[in-house]
């Protein structure tokens, strides 16, 4: 049943994003319209007794070049333009948004752990046994190879913190990068 609980969390996030009512009709809408949602459903079904239903989803994960493998967590995952995206993480927290051409993967003996409410922008790379805190934004094309603290914005190669805040409701403040 955990598969369907996670799928409900995913659907809830997608419904909020698209301003649609939560329900089966919205599920069908997303399933028909968004390949990324089909791949997410495929990921949820992969290791369950319902895996035979992957006959409706597996093709899209191959065609769209989108791969997801997460060992723990990962409720409320949203993929935007998931083309050429690899997600291989130890864990992903709730409400994570991942854009296109992102690579999250194994390097230096481990895979990343990603916190809650994280946005990983286009082309970003998160590599190795790093820990990404909660309420983090990883900028486009950033390469993250070190831990990122909570409530941070990181950009660059290698990624550096450029903004911070105390809580999710605070205003972002620039960090002195000298």
């Amino acid at each position: 049943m955990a598969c369907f609980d996670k799928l409900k969390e995913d659907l809830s996030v997608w419904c909020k994003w698209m301003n649609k009512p939560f329900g089966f009709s919205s599920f069908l809408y997303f399933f028909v319209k968004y390949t990324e949602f089909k791949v997410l459903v495929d990921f949820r079904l992969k290791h369950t007794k319902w895996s035979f239903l992957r006959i409706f989803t597996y093709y899209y994960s191959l065609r769209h070049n989108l791969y997801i493998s997460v060992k723990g967590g990962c409720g409320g995952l949203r993929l935007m333009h998931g083309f050429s995206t690899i997600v291989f993480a130890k864990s992903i927290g709730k409400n994570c948004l991942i854009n296109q051409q992102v690579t999250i993967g194994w390097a230096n003996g481990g895979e990343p752990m990603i916190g809650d409410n994280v946005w990983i922008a286009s082309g970003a790379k998160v590599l190795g046994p790093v820990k990404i805190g909660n309420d983090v934004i990883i900028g486009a094309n950033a390469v993250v190879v070190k831990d990122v603290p909570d409530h941070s914005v990181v950009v660059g190669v290698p990624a550096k913190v450029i903004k911070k805040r105390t809580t999710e409701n605070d205003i972002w403040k620039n960090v002195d990068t000298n």
Side-chain angles (χ1 to χ4, degrees):
M1 275 323 252
C3 158
F4 292 108
D5 292 339
K6 296 288 186 190
L7 199 49
K8 284 180 187 176
E9 288 181 53
D10 298 335
L11 180 60
S12 176
V13 168
W14 282 68
C15 286
K16 285 179 190 170
W17 169 52
M18 294 296 288
N19 200 23
K20 296 234 177 248
F22 181 85
F24 188 69
S25 62
S26 292
F27 175 86
L28 286 178
Y29 172 79
F30 294 132
F31 191 82
V32 169
K33 186 162 180 166
Y34 295 98
T35 300
E36 294 89 346
F37 192 76
K38 285 184 192 91
V39 174
L40 192 52
V41 171
D42 183 68
F43 165 65
R44 297 292 182 212
L45 293 173
K46 192 179 280 184
H47 300 292
T48 69
K49 66 180 179 180
W50 301 96
S51 62
F52 66 91
L53 292 173
R54 292 181 68 208
I55 193 168
F56 300 109
T57 59
Y58 183 69
Y59 167 76
Y60 295 98
S61 62
L62 295 176
R63 189 179 132 242
H64 210 58
N65 208 11
L66 174 58
Y67 175 77
I68 306 170
S69 176
V70 180
K71 296 175 183 164
C74 196
L77 182 60
R78 188 165 51 119
L79 304 162
M80 297 265 310
H81 317 296
F83 177 75
S84 292
T85 299
I86 307 287
V87 180
F88 182 78
K90 190 175 216 173
S91 65
I92 294 179
K94 294 186 180 293
N95 305 321
C96 184
L97 168 61
I98 300 173
N99 284 109
Q100 69 272 18
Q101 298 175 329
V102 167
T103 300
I104 300 170
W106 192 93
N108 301 324
E111 61 265 34
M113 291 176 28
I114 298 171
D116 296 338
N117 304 312
V118 173
W119 174 21
I120 304 173
S122 307
K125 311 295 181 248
V126 181
L127 305 170
V130 298
K131 185 175 186 299
I132 307 301
N134 298 321
D135 183 35
V136 168
I137 298 172
I138 299 173
N141 296 315
V143 177
V144 179
V145 292
K146 294 183 180 174
D147 292 352
V148 177
D150 292 346
H151 313 295
S152 301
V153 176
V154 295
V155 298
V157 179
K160 293 180 181 166
V161 176
I162 62 161
K163 293 186 179 193
K164 289 190 74 81
R165 62 184 177 186
T166 310
T167 68
E168 289 184 31
N169 298 324
D170 287 344
I171 296 172
W172 291 105
K173 295 183 181 159
N174 291 334
V175 171
D176 185 18
T177 57
N178 291 333

